Amino acid sequence: MKMGMEITMNAVKRTIKWEDNKVVMVDQRKLPERLEMLTCISHYEVIDAIKSMAIRGAPAIGVAAAYGMALAANNIKVKSKAEFCSKLAVVKDELAHSRPTAVNLFWALDEIWKVITSSKSSVDELKERILSKANSLAEQDIKTNLSIGENGVRLFEDGDIILTHCNAGSLATVFYGTAIGVIRSVFQKKRNIKVFVDETRPVLQGARLTAWELKYDKIPFTLICDSVAGFLMYQKKITKIVVGADRIVTNGDTVNKIGTYSLSVLAKVHNIPFYVAAPTSTIDFNLKKGEDIPIEERSPEEVTTIMDKRIAPCHIAVHNPAFDITPNYNITAIITENGILEPPYEKTLKSFLTK
Ligand code: MRU
């Protein structure tokens, strides 16, 4: 698909979908220059897409992994159910090793696995059930995002100037987004808002993806270098911050794109509400605190080059963690599809989910 000013996410409808027994996704590496779709015919191609960030963002990679299972299931040509399941167990493990931090990936794989283990169906029926589960996870993601957006509105006012980091929009989900979903819903209800978008080095999800989404939605925004955010807060030019999440643990500590922690500290110093918007599938009750979450280290080239052009000397040490941990005490509230959580998160997260 060629880029045209009129071609937007609204034209594509979904970041990822199942079409003609293939997985079709927006190739996010090409944006904003071109809106191009990437077609995967095997789970190996889905793994490549996740690793190379053709698809990225916690909920989107969860759905990609689910569709990866559906592709693999279709491609396994055995009649014995035991053999089918043992082959799929290997696939599940391969998909689980595509990226380590966002818990939605493991959550979605577990959701698919429950279908496999809880069913007495034949191999052919199982293939259908796996695909139908993957499709329902995709649909559920959109509904969840719309509810997160709806729930978040009451935290914002007319005139708010909102800072966001990374891309937690349609492209990070199946559609609509989490943090950007909240901004979308606030804009629909209280039109007089403005947004600052951090460029989000090194992969530039803010500059390339969030700016692209907001532009086509006609939501007023200004793109800034990451280092500008603190000065804007000092100048009282930011009234609220909202970000997405890759994993939230039992005590409310939240892992999100590198740079989020610094923003939360600045927000605290400047008395600015700091909100996390995420689906409940991003909550990991198996882990107690932020330090337990594995943080992905990505390639040095993401730092030493920009758009394939080298910007640093060769043979130097580079540290490139993709995510950081925002401690629970820096988070004013967590906006989920089930409502808004406030501290103390150890209590509210648990009681809230069992409601
Ligand atoms: O490395 P990425 O681009 O996959 O990281 C994405 C983020 O950190 C997002 O902010 C997060 O997944 C929330 S997306 C709804």
Side-chain angles (χ1 to χ4, degrees), residues 25 38 43-56 60-66 95 97-99 105 296 298:
M25 58 182 81
L38 175 74
H43 77 278
Y44 296 112
E45 292 180 352
V46 173
I47 291 173
D48 276 352
I50 295 173
K51 283 188 171 166
S52 66
M53 295 173 76
I55 188 152
R56 33 68 47 204
I61 62 176
V63 172
L95 281 159
H97 282 89
S98 54
R99 286 191 80 185
L105 176 77
E296 177 181 14
R298 289 192 63 86

Side-chain angles (χ1 to χ4, degrees), residues 228-282:
V228 174
F231 187 44
L232 284 175
M233 291 187 221
Y234 173 82
Q235 292 176 306
K236 302 197 185 323
K237 289 188 177 160
I238 289 171
T239 60
K240 309 264 160 69
I241 299 175
V242 63
V243 297
D246 291 85
R247 199 183 298 214
I248 299 168
V249 291
T250 318
N251 71 352
D253 288 353
T254 294
V255 158
N256 191 49
K257 182 52 55 194
I258 191 76
T260 305
Y261 168 65
S262 321
L263 293 179
S264 76
V265 174
L266 283 161
K268 199 157 204 182
V269 168
H270 295 95
N271 216 10
I272 296 168
F274 185 93
Y275 300 125
V276 170
T280 49
S281 55
T282 300

Side-chain angles (χ1 to χ4, degrees), residues 55 57 66 79 82 106 110 124 131 137-138 140 150 226 246 269-271 283 287 291 293 315 323 334 344 347 353:
I55 188 152
K79 288 272 170 263
F106 313 103
D110 286 344
D124 283 343
L131 174 58
L137 291 180
Q140 186 188 323
E150 192 66 33
D226 299 330
D246 291 85
V269 168
H270 295 95
N271 216 10
I283 303 168
L287 301 184
E291 299 95 271
I293 304 173
H315 311 302
F323 304 98
I334 300 175
K347 277 199 181 146
L353 281 177

Side-chain angles (χ1 to χ4, degrees), residues 10-304:
N10 290 332
V12 178
K13 299 273 189 258
R14 301 266 190 285
T15 295
I16 179 164
K17 59 190 158 193
W18 182 267
E19 215 171 70
D20 299 331
N21 287 328
K22 298 176 189 109
V23 179
V24 180
M25 58 182 81
V26 173
D27 187 342
Q28 302 189 32
R29 297 165 301 188
K30 306 285 167 60
L31 286 169
E33 206 189 338
R34 291 191 306 282
L35 176 57
E36 223 175 84
M37 305 307 283
L38 175 74
T39 301
C40 299
I41 57 169
S42 74
H43 77 278
Y44 296 112
E45 292 180 352
V46 173
I47 291 173
D48 276 352
I50 295 173
K51 283 188 171 166
S52 66
M53 295 173 76
I55 188 152
R56 33 68 47 204
I61 62 176
V63 172
Y67 278 136
M69 290 292 281
L71 272 181
N74 271 359
N75 291 339
I76 295 172
K77 307 286 177 216
V78 295
K79 288 272 170 263
S80 141
K81 193 166 162 191
E83 219 184 320
F84 176 76
C85 291
S86 85
K87 282 184 188 295
L88 266 187
V90 174
V91 171
K92 178 177 182 265
D93 194 53
E94 288 168 340
L95 281 159
H97 282 89
S98 54
R99 286 191 80 185
T101 303
V103 76
N104 308 61
L105 176 77
F106 313 103
W107 172 83
L109 287 171
D110 286 344
E111 289 292 299
I112 296 288
W113 200 246
K114 277 185 217 157
V115 170
I116 297 165
T117 51
S118 68
S119 160
K120 296 205 168 25
S121 319
S122 68
V123 167
D124 283 343
E125 284 163 350
L126 255 187
K127 289 182 181 182
E128 273 174 34
R129 295 191 58 186
I130 292 168
L131 174 58
S132 137
K133 183 68 186 181
N135 279 330
S136 91
L137 291 180
E139 291 312 310
Q140 186 188 323
D141 180 68
I142 300 175
K143 285 193 194 122
T144 296
N145 295 332
L146 291 167
S147 301
I148 292 172
E150 192 66 33
N151 290 339
V153 169
R154 78 165 167 83
L155 297 171
F156 294 81
E157 298 157 74
D158 214 33
D160 265 337
I161 307 175
I162 307 165
L163 175 71
T164 191
H165 189 68
C166 194
N167 173 269
S170 284
L171 292 162
T173 60
V174 178
F175 194 68
Y176 204 69
T178 56
I180 298 298
V182 169
I183 290 174
R184 285 195 161 99
S185 298
V186 173
F187 181 66
Q188 279 158 21
K189 299 248 158 69
K190 306 171 182 175
R191 297 194 73 86
N192 183 26
I193 60 159
K194 285 187 192 136
V195 181
F196 279 107
V197 176
D198 275 350
E199 61 171 349
T200 320
R201 269 288 283 156
V203 181
L204 299 172
Q205 290 93 332
R208 296 189 303 107
L209 309 176
T210 301
W212 184 77
E213 288 195 35
L214 294 183
K215 179 180 173 191
Y216 288 114
D217 272 7
K218 297 191 170 41
I219 298 176
F221 74 95
T222 304
L223 177 65
I224 54 170
C225 291
D226 299 330
S227 44
V228 174
F231 187 44
L232 284 175
M233 291 187 221
Y234 173 82
Q235 292 176 306
K236 302 197 185 323
K237 289 188 177 160
I238 289 171
T239 60
K240 309 264 160 69
I241 299 175
V242 63
V243 297
D246 291 85
R247 199 183 298 214
I248 299 168
V249 291
T250 318
N251 71 352
D253 288 353
T254 294
V255 158
N256 191 49
K257 182 52 55 194
I258 191 76
T260 305
Y261 168 65
S262 321
L263 293 179
S264 76
V265 174
L266 283 161
K268 199 157 204 182
V269 168
H270 295 95
N271 216 10
I272 296 168
F274 185 93
Y275 300 125
V276 170
T280 49
S281 55
T282 300
I283 303 168
D284 182 353
F285 281 107
N286 295 317
L287 301 184
K288 287 197 168 60
K289 50 187 191 327
E291 299 95 271
D292 300 338
I293 304 173
I295 301 287
E296 177 181 14
E297 175 77 20
R298 289 192 63 86
S299 87
E301 284 72 34
E302 286 182 355
V303 180
T304 57

